[in-house]
Amino acid sequence: MIRDEDIVRVEAPRISAADRLYLTQIAQGMKVTLNHLFFKPRMTVQYPEQKREMNTQNYRGVHRLNRDPDGRVACVACFMCQTACPAHCIHIVADESPWEDREKYPQLFDIDELRCIYCGMCEEACPVDAIELTYEYDVVGRSRDEMIFDKEKLLEVYDSTKDVKPRKNPKITGYQRTGDRGKYDQLRDRLREMTQQSNPISAPHQTVDGERAPAPENKENA
Amino acid sequence: MLLAFTQLGFSSILALVILGIILGMVAYSIYFERKIAGWVQDRYGPNRVGLPTLVGDLLPEKYGKFHFWGLGQPIADGLKFFLKEDIIPSHVDKPLFLIAPCVSLIVALIGFVVIPWGGQVAIFGQVFNVQVANPDIGLLYILGVGSMGVYGVVLGGWASNNKYSVYGAVRATAQMLSYEIPMGVAIMCVVLTCGQVRLEEIMASQVAGWNVWNLFYHPVAFIILWITMFAETNRTPFDLAECEQELVGGFHTEYSAMKFAMFFLAEYAHMITGCAFLAVLFCGGWDPIPFVRIPLFRPEDTGIIAMLAKMAVLFGKVAFFMFMYMWVRWTVPRFRFDQLMRVAWKGLIPASLGVLAVAIAGLYLGLHRTLWFTLPGNVAVVLVSLWVMSRAKDPVSGREANLPPLTRSPELGVQA
Ligand code: SF4
Ligand code: SF4
């Protein structure tokens, strides 16, 4: 309930007699529009000829599949992106990898660019930064089928955009087969040691009274 | 061959030519309307459809694509209107629904016949009036035909069998009724000043003697007539008949394709006729500069070149007034309906009656064609209306009248 004394009523200013004829006010308005008619710069971007400046590094446009330094597809067919995709537009068929350093690779990798909502979840989910969104936004196709990008097309997109937007983590390479104590496993062990020692705040399994809760079983090690 | 050498033959040819010019002007008015809308809003407006697109494409690459400022847009628009599906809703009154756009367009296109486009012309010793028809009541004809424009709107709104359309039609009617009065009274001032209702005689009286245009005798009447022209043609700020925010599309909500285009063309044709009418009544028609006699532009110049020059001047004035129409449209917001009525009944009608009183007094005293009498009279009318305005209460609108009286709160320091 608003108290009466809290109400401040504002009265419209009294308009002068000349302004009540409207003509003086209209003349003022016409002066403003005349100024815009002839003397103001145009704001329009003439699209196909001119393009707006954009941040090429974080724009969420068409996808690409990155290549590792050897030129092979970097994806390891882990299905993380397909699982994360809210639009269900990624379809992967995995196969045994022909190469020594990884178990799987995508035999088919299709993204339906018409169904995609360009949310970037796939990029977030990928453990090896193999899938990325690029700054390309003007893709066209004559049919729906043409807009389903397959693996070759996605790799082509990488080839055409890598100069402007290089792969985020080119270091992620040399994947090891599980069981080999390669660089990857050493790194993982060191990380685990770091979290369990010293810093109590980041130690995730500590309870209130200082007792250490049993760490959950690590499936990878089992 | 003989027929072409009578006034009838000449008039027929002239009618076709002027009709062509007006239709072309209509098409390009729509183009410029969109251009001006763009410019006022810091955009470019339509600039893609090149006139001969081929030429634009054939230019060497280094010039880029040249689009001819989008001059082909009216052609593309016209094609679009012809190719669109023409829907006749099942709930409409079909005969009236079909007649309405035709009435609109026909009425808008026959108005121009009494406009004197270029004085007189002599071809092989024969003197013709550069005017399609020359009735004794030219002025009344154009008033009557102009008012008929609302029939198309009313028929269309009624036949559409749609509440919004009927609202639009009813508004258009009320508006027309209100604004016809100041319009008629303002025109009366011209009639009293010139003592004529034939348009070419009104023209002749403006180019006789000192070349004083009627504009200078009665500037207030000119402004009033100009304002009512906006209302007559349903243009912003008086386009309540089709205001999109309240009435969807007003009377043309149910119309599509070419039938909608006919309403659209009618509006612009009506505007062009109105502009020509205004130019002839008040701004000396084909006379380029007041108070001066220029060779080529005297009434006794009857060569073909003189005729063409005179027509060019008149069309230039029409173009200027069309530009004003558009400029105002993209500046002034639409009036509310009660404001619209207040402007007519409390503003324009008393003011126009005042000017009429000045004109009548002038006629009575024999001073109706003397500037030192009519000009001060007009100024007096403006001063009196300013005085009335300054004494009038603020217009009360909507719920303002129902609010409780202001409470005063001294402890808050509020000055109520
Ligand atoms: S951007 Fe979003 S919607 Fe598109 S493929 Fe990736 S996860 Fe799916
Ligand atoms: S998440 Fe990355 S590695 Fe896994 S399937 Fe998708 S693109 Fe390939």
Side-chain angles (χ1 to χ4, degrees):
Chain A
M1 183 70 198
I2 304 171
R3 292 175 304 164
D4 268 357
E5 59 263 36
D6 289 343
I7 298 174
V8 178
R9 192 168 293 158
V10 182
E11 271 185 285
R14 211 179 142 73
I15 309 166
S16 72
D19 283 348
R20 276 199 220 179
L21 285 183
Y22 291 117
L23 293 180
T24 50
Q25 301 253 305
I26 288 177
Q28 277 175 27
M30 307 259 291
K31 217 177 83 197
V32 173
T33 41
L34 187 69
N35 202 3
H36 282 268
L37 252 176
F38 296 117
F39 309 114
K40 287 282 166 84
R42 307 281 169 240
M43 295 302 176
T44 316
V45 177
Q46 306 257 30
Y47 168 60
E49 293 94 24
Q50 301 172 355
K51 284 182 181 172
R52 232 177 58 182
E53 273 186 26
M54 59 187 287
N55 187 337
T56 50
Q57 300 306 304
N58 65 5
Y59 190 84
R60 298 206 301 260
V62 169
H63 309 74
R64 70 183 190 193
L65 266 185
N66 291 335
R67 294 179 188 277
D68 66 7
D70 298 339
R72 299 170 301 183
V73 58
C75 169
V76 294
C78 70
F79 288 78
M80 294 278 243
C81 52
Q82 181 175 337
T83 314
C85 177
H88 302 301
C89 61
I90 305 184
H91 303 284
I92 306 170
V93 174
D95 200 358
E96 186 148 352
S97 160
W99 308 303
E100 267 307 303
D101 59 349
R102 62 193 77 166
E103 275 174 357
K104 294 199 290 182
Y105 89 115
Q107 191 193 19
L108 299 175
F109 195 112
D110 292 345
I111 298 181
D112 188 344
E113 299 287 347
L114 289 180
R115 214 165 142 177
C116 171
I117 58 172
Y118 299 95
C119 62
M121 295 288 203
C122 46
E123 188 175 359
E124 297 283 331
C126 183
V128 293
D129 284 353
I131 188 167
E132 274 175 0
L133 301 185
T134 64
Y135 52 87
E136 294 282 354
Y137 53 84
D138 46 355
V139 275
V140 287
R142 290 199 181 81
S143 64
R144 285 170 185 277
D145 286 345
E146 225 172 278
M147 293 301 285
I148 297 177
F149 281 24
D150 60 6
K151 190 171 78 175
E152 277 64 45
K153 188 106 190 234
L154 291 166
L155 286 168
E156 265 169 37
V157 178
Y158 172 72
D159 293 336
S160 66
T161 58
K162 66 179 179 223
D163 296 331
V164 180
K165 180 186 180 179
R167 189 179 170 192
K168 237 181 268 160
N169 287 312
K171 295 259 168 55
I172 300 184
T173 180
Y175 318 120
Q176 302 295 318
R177 288 179 177 270
T178 33
D180 293 349
R181 284 190 62 80
K183 250 189 274 172
Y184 196 72
D185 292 68
Q186 286 167 14
L187 193 70
R188 193 181 52 199
D189 286 351
R190 260 189 57 208
L191 268 176
R192 190 173 298 135
E193 272 167 37
M194 272 160 63
T195 48
Q196 283 174 358
Q197 280 170 10
S198 65
N199 192 350
I201 295 169
S202 69
H205 310 304
Q206 211 147 18
T207 53
V208 187
D209 36 25
E211 275 176 31
R212 182 160 293 203
E217 236 182 0
N218 197 326
K219 290 230 172 74
E220 285 172 19
N221 269 356
Chain B
M1 207 52 216
L2 263 180
L3 189 66
F5 264 84
T6 60
Q7 177 70 40
L8 178 66
F10 182 79
S11 292
S12 320
I13 296 167
L14 187 73
L16 289 180
V17 171
I18 302 269
L19 194 63
I21 297 179
I22 286 186
L23 286 179
M25 268 183 101
V26 164
Y28 278 91
S29 312
I30 295 169
Y31 164 79
F32 274 108
E33 175 99 56
R34 294 174 61 186
K35 268 287 192 205
I36 287 172
W39 289 336
V40 166
Q41 298 163 4
D42 293 344
R43 296 184 284 109
Y44 288 96
N47 66 351
R48 290 285 147 169
V49 191
L51 195 50
T53 322
L54 258 181
V55 178
D57 290 345
L58 287 179
L59 283 177
E61 191 69 26
K62 67 176 169 187
Y63 300 118
K65 262 214 174 133
F66 188 53
H67 294 292
F68 289 93
W69 312 282
L71 279 172
Q73 191 69 41
I75 299 165
D77 283 348
L79 269 182
K80 183 195 77 174
F81 275 128
F82 272 113
L83 296 179
K84 272 188 137 175
E85 185 186 359
D86 195 353
I87 298 166
I88 300 180
S90 57
H91 57 76
V92 300
D93 185 340
K94 207 166 162 187
L96 287 186
F97 188 79
L98 295 179
I99 288 173
C102 308
V103 170
S104 256
L105 189 60
I106 291 172
V107 163
L109 284 181
I110 57 176
F112 75 91
V113 294
V114 294
I115 303 276
W117 293 102
Q120 290 186 320
V121 64
I123 301 171
F124 298 124
Q126 282 264 24
V127 179
F128 301 117
N129 277 330
V130 186
Q131 190 179 18
V132 178
N134 186 15
D136 288 340
I137 43 137
L139 203 104
L140 299 184
Y141 168 85
I142 211 164
L143 270 182
V145 167
S147 314
M148 291 257 294
V150 81
Y151 270 83
V153 173
V154 171
L155 285 181
W158 177 256
S160 293
N161 196 3
N162 168 336
K163 285 185 206 109
Y164 293 118
S165 305
V166 176
Y167 275 138
V170 169
R171 282 178 172 194
T173 319
Q175 182 178 323
M176 183 69 75
L177 287 178
S178 310
Y179 280 82
E180 290 271 284
I181 301 169
M183 184 181 193
V185 176
I187 291 173
M188 277 307 291
C189 298
V190 174
V191 174
L192 291 181
T193 307
C194 303
Q196 285 291 345
V197 283
R198 286 172 92 105
L199 280 170
E200 84 276 15
E201 297 287 343
I202 291 176
M203 253 315 301
S205 80
Q206 289 186 81
V207 291
W210 272 99
N211 257 26
V212 192
W213 298 353
N214 288 330
L215 168 65
F216 299 102
Y217 289 122
H218 290 296
V220 177
F222 166 70
I223 290 173
I224 288 171
L225 181 62
W226 199 359
I227 294 173
T228 54
M229 279 290 179
F230 280 87
E232 280 278 309
T233 47
N234 279 326
R235 292 281 297 182
T236 341
F238 305 112
D239 61 342
L240 284 105
E242 47 192 288
C243 73
E244 295 83 1
Q245 293 88 341
E246 299 160 29
L247 300 183
V248 194
F251 62 92
H252 57 57
T253 305
E254 304 285 359
Y255 284 90
S256 55
M258 210 47 211
K259 288 206 282 297
F260 168 74
M262 281 162 84
F263 274 127
F264 209 62
L265 294 181
E267 180 186 332
Y268 281 84
H270 201 161
M271 277 161 66
I272 291 174
T273 317
C275 291
F277 184 51
L278 196 61
V280 168
L281 276 193
F282 274 99
C283 304
W286 40 259
D287 188 33
I289 304 169
F291 307 119
V292 199
R293 295 248 148 191
I294 301 174
L296 213 57
F297 292 105
R298 289 163 307 190
E300 59 269 21
D301 288 315
T302 47
I304 289 185
I305 298 193
M307 174 188 79
L308 292 180
K310 287 170 177 174
M311 283 174 76
V313 168
L314 185 47
F315 274 112
K317 287 180 183 176
V318 169
F320 170 76
F321 283 124
M322 289 298 282
F323 170 71
M324 292 301 291
Y325 262 124
M326 291 165 193
W327 183 10
V328 167
R329 169 160 184 194
W330 297 104
T331 305
V332 186
R334 181 183 298 130
F335 280 112
R336 214 170 50 209
F337 202 76
D338 62 320
Q339 290 170 333
L340 177 91
M341 285 297 155
R342 202 188 304 134
V343 166
W345 290 95
K346 291 186 170 176
L348 294 180
I349 293 179
S352 59
L353 286 174
V355 188
L356 185 66
V358 171
I360 291 174
L363 192 64
Y364 188 71
L365 300 172
L367 298 173
H368 58 291
R369 292 189 68 78
T370 41
L371 281 178
W372 59 261
F373 180 79
T374 52
L375 263 187
N378 276 267
V379 174
V381 170
V382 173
L383 289 180
V384 168
S385 34
L386 278 178
W387 179 72
V388 172
M389 288 282 183
S390 66
R391 288 174 48 87
K393 280 204 302 180
D394 274 326
V396 173
S397 61
R399 56 187 262 281
E400 255 175 65
N402 304 326
L403 288 175
L406 296 177
T407 51
R408 273 144 226 277
S409 330
E411 72 274 15
L412 285 175
V414 174
Q415 279 196 332

